[in-house]
Amino acid sequence: MSQLRFNVVEAASKKQAVEVPSPNERPADYFGENVFNRSKMFKYLSEKAYERITDCIDNGTPLDRETADAVAEGMKKWAIERGATHYTHWFHPLTEGTAEKHDAFVEHDGKGGMVEEFSGKLLIQQEPDASSFPNGGIRNTFEARGYSAWDPSSPAFIVGDTLCIPTIFIAYTGESLDYKAPLLKALEAVNKAAVDVCHYFNPDVKKVYAYLGWEQEYFLVDEGLYAARPDLLLTGRTLMGHESSKNQQLEDHYFGAIPTRVLAFMKELEIEALKLGIPLKTRHNEVAPNQFELAPIFEECNLANDHNLLVMALMRKISRKHGFRVLLHEKPFKGINGSGKHNNWSLGTNTGILLMAPGKTPEENLRFITFIVNVLMAVYRHNGLLKASISSATNAHRLGANEAPPAIISSFLGTQLSNVLEHLEKSEPEDLALSGKQGMKLGIPRIPELLIDNTDRNRTSPFAFTGNRFEFRAVGSEANCASAMLALNAAVAEQLKIFKAEVDAKIAEGKETFAAILEVLRKDIKTCKPIHFDGNGYSEEWKAEAARRGLDCETSVPLIFDNYLKESSIRMFESTGVMNRKELEARNEVKWETYTKKIQIEARVLGDLAMNHIIPTATKYQTSLIDNVYKMKDLFPADKAATLSSRNLEIIEDIANRTNFIKEKVDAMVEARKVANKIENEREKAIAYHDTIVPMLEAIRYHIDKLELVVDDQIWTLPKYRELLFIR
Ligand code: ADP
Ligand code: MG
């Protein structure tokens, strides 16, 4: 092993767990201590201000200036008592991650001194000088600026010395420049549409919430080894590296004991997350070596999403304290599992009913089936769009690989639910007719109340029904969940509206309500059949079958993004008030541009590493072999020397061939980039990067990985997979 590599690997193995002082308090004592939640509001606000702000949060009542000032004052008092000196509007621009610009509370007092100030005006709206956030041309730098506006439905919190205020980020002309604004609109749309449908069953329902329970997968690598891999450092994934002889074959990592150093990291992460009111519950090893998962208890979607973004930021920060770097990239290592973020999603009413859970009475079960079928219809109509909502340059490495959801959206229902739907579809309408008032005869087979522990869980399905919710498993580990959640909730909102219109039309014709519902459901069950697939999503047969069914099977990410601009998508987003055509067009520009940039950076990094590390190292080794061959000639008669050197001669030739190939491909890649960079249209440019550059990256890597196997380990400069993947 090279001295350099030896030193970093040694240092990594000597790292000790950082002791986390176990707090004497119980989680219940510090849960939410860094959050300006209702109990803090109650304490720090006047009764009137408290009532107004909770009314605004619960019912969307507009906030007056006086209340905003009172809330700002209370928030400031609480924050300063907790040691905060600064505040920031915290928002989610169209990059993955969050943005913040900190301002101190201080203001001149007019008498040469300073006072700590924070007004309702500053709480409600800010103008971050944010012209360099991606905006897809909506906002020219010289034109209208964007501003951030307070989202009172997600509570303010303190990180370090800063009070963070969750905000949306929009252009002066009103278009959203972030993920939160359209997410909030989609949640409002699905609330309205679902409440209307709930009224067929229960007129008391006032509000429907969308819930999100995310499961976050991630890798940890030692910080020293990470620093010695420029590809990890600059792109978040290894662009080269031969498989370790042992990786996940033995499946000995999954649910195994968590290494002490990792446990110390998890412990501290949990404490900090709980203080921020994030209800973390589950932690375990994942399938791949060094891969782990954490999950909270599910929450209202907007809050859950803010919490996910916060957790990712916490993970980045806390991992460094423990000598680790967290990898949130979807596929940091070739040949072993990638990381996703399962989005468990459901709808529930203010009366405490989960709409995707079966009930006890036939009526409750009809409601259950109504919501299930409407979700399936929405996913069927917009399967391509939903795929676009989870697609990115990085997630592309994971989807369609043999351990991750396929790049085709379908839904797993399990035998019980499949049987119910089949029964409804196949029965004669008379059998399903409702008789009399007392005994409603729906002819629906009894649905077990608890489907939750569905034994026939299918891990290969990208959108699986899991008892009382759907699990959208194709979301990428570093993605902002809002992208998927706003598309899903908006699509379901549109579908529920269509459903209601159809049912109402039948009722207007004189049909009884439940009979009308059943009739529409039976039609929809037939229509959305192609989206239902309980088989093996990894199989080749499924790809062919899905294409026959007319599902979106596109695998090129730039082309998948076209789904956002299909007329059916634009109609859906516009009719639900979530986004308009102009916003969708602008956001796609950002998506294509980001795609191009990511591949461009990877191509540059790989080119540099190939020329500066790989070829020089391989050539050095080759030279030592050539030297050996010459010396053999001095020692032995020509014939014998040739025989004895045959292996070395082979390697010399092999290295020459591979290094020549690498050099040629790197040059060709530079040329191909020059050509692609001249393309002005962002979509076309992204397509060029996808079609020409990505295959070159793969071809170059192939030969580098082969060289890693033959070149002397002593002189190989980059830490290898076997070193990166096993934490000691
Ligand atoms: P899995 O078996 O899929 O790994 P986990 O227990 O790790 O399950 O995670 C399941 C996630 O789903 C948790 O975040 C949990 O809170 C969430 N969840 C459970 N029920 C619902 C629901 N009705 N709606 C949304 N999320 C839910
Ligand atoms: Mg899961």
Side-chain angles (χ1 to χ4, degrees), residues 209-221:
Y209 299 94
Y211 294 116
L212 166 62
W214 44 263
E215 300 162 56
Q216 176 76 52
E217 294 176 335
Y218 62 97
F219 280 87
L220 286 175
V221 290

Side-chain angles (χ1 to χ4, degrees), residues 220-511:
L220 286 175
V221 290
D222 186 88
E223 193 168 34
L225 299 172
Y226 172 89
R229 289 285 310 218
D231 47 354
L232 267 184
L233 195 86
L234 297 172
T235 72
R237 74 173 179 115
T238 55
L239 298 173
M240 60 180 78
H242 198 277
E243 246 183 85
S244 166
S245 314
K246 173 184 188 287
N247 47 49
Q248 64 188 46
Q249 310 91 319
L250 299 175
E251 295 178 351
D252 47 358
H253 185 66
Y254 195 50
F255 283 6
I258 299 171
T260 333
R261 253 179 90 194
V262 176
L263 202 57
F265 155 76
M266 288 177 167
K267 191 85 210 144
E268 187 173 351
L269 175 64
E270 280 165 10
I271 293 170
E272 290 310 312
L274 288 167
K275 284 185 189 167
L276 284 167
I278 306 168
L280 288 192
K281 187 169 167 67
T282 311
R283 63 175 184 215
H284 60 76
N285 287 358
E286 260 300 327
V287 174
N290 279 16
Q291 195 187 25
F292 308 93
E293 176 183 306
L294 62 86
I297 300 169
F298 69 91
E299 301 175 283
E300 184 279 319
C301 189
N302 174 43
L303 183 62
N305 191 46
D306 281 354
H307 281 169
N308 180 249
L309 290 160
L310 261 176
V311 158
M312 291 196 288
L314 278 180
M315 289 167 95
R316 290 193 178 100
K317 197 166 85 187
I318 294 172
S319 61
R320 293 167 85 149
K321 280 174 71 177
H322 294 261
F324 291 126
R325 285 303 180 103
V326 66
L327 305 180
L328 293 170
H329 192 289
E330 283 79 8
K331 193 80 177 177
F333 303 101
K334 193 177 165 180
I336 59 173
N337 281 14
S339 300
K341 179 145 57 195
H342 297 175
N343 278 200
N344 294 271
W345 169 87
S346 66
L347 297 173
T349 66
N350 65 315
T351 57
I353 291 165
L354 279 179
L355 294 168
M356 275 155 249
K360 292 191 182 75
T361 62
E363 187 178 327
E364 284 170 353
N365 281 332
L366 182 63
R367 184 206 60 221
F368 161 65
I369 288 164
T370 299
F371 277 91
I372 294 289
V373 172
N374 275 291
V375 171
L376 292 177
M377 277 296 283
V379 176
Y380 172 57
R381 262 182 223 276
H382 297 291
N383 69 88
L385 174 69
L386 286 170
K387 182 162 71 183
S389 79
I390 53 91
S391 289
S392 65
T394 52
N395 206 16
H397 294 287
R398 170 176 163 258
L399 296 185
N402 240 358
E403 28 80 20
I408 301 164
I409 301 294
S410 66
S411 186
F412 167 85
L413 297 178
T415 17
Q416 289 166 317
L417 187 52
S418 305
N419 287 346
V420 173
L421 296 191
E422 195 178 342
H423 175 83
L424 276 182
E425 184 199 339
K426 301 256 163 75
S427 305
E428 294 303 318
E430 303 78 80
D431 295 339
L432 296 171
L434 310 157
S435 58
K437 260 212 157 156
Q438 64 294 47
M440 231 189 12
K441 178 167 152 276
L442 290 179
I444 300 176
R446 219 180 71 81
I447 305 174
E449 247 178 85
L450 275 181
L451 288 173
I452 295 179
D453 284 317
N454 237 349
T455 42
D456 55 350
R457 275 189 164 206
N458 180 331
R459 300 257 162 211
T460 71
S461 175
F463 195 82
F465 177 69
T466 50
N468 62 3
R469 62 187 186 270
F470 282 90
E471 187 170 343
F472 196 3
R473 300 207 182 103
V475 181
S477 49
E478 71 179 1
N480 184 327
C481 301
S483 174
M485 286 297 108
L486 73 91
L488 176 62
N489 285 299
V492 171
E494 177 203 45
Q495 169 56 32
L496 288 169
K497 285 201 317 194
I498 296 172
F499 175 79
K500 182 169 187 317
E502 290 177 355
V503 172
D504 285 351
K506 291 194 189 290
I507 295 173
E509 285 165 17
K511 275 247 150 60

Side-chain angles (χ1 to χ4, degrees), residues 653-668:
E653 207 180 322
D654 185 51
I655 291 179
N657 286 335
R658 293 194 196 277
T659 48
N660 283 336
F661 179 92
I662 292 170
K663 163 85 172 71
E664 273 167 31
K665 269 281 183 221
V666 169
D667 287 346

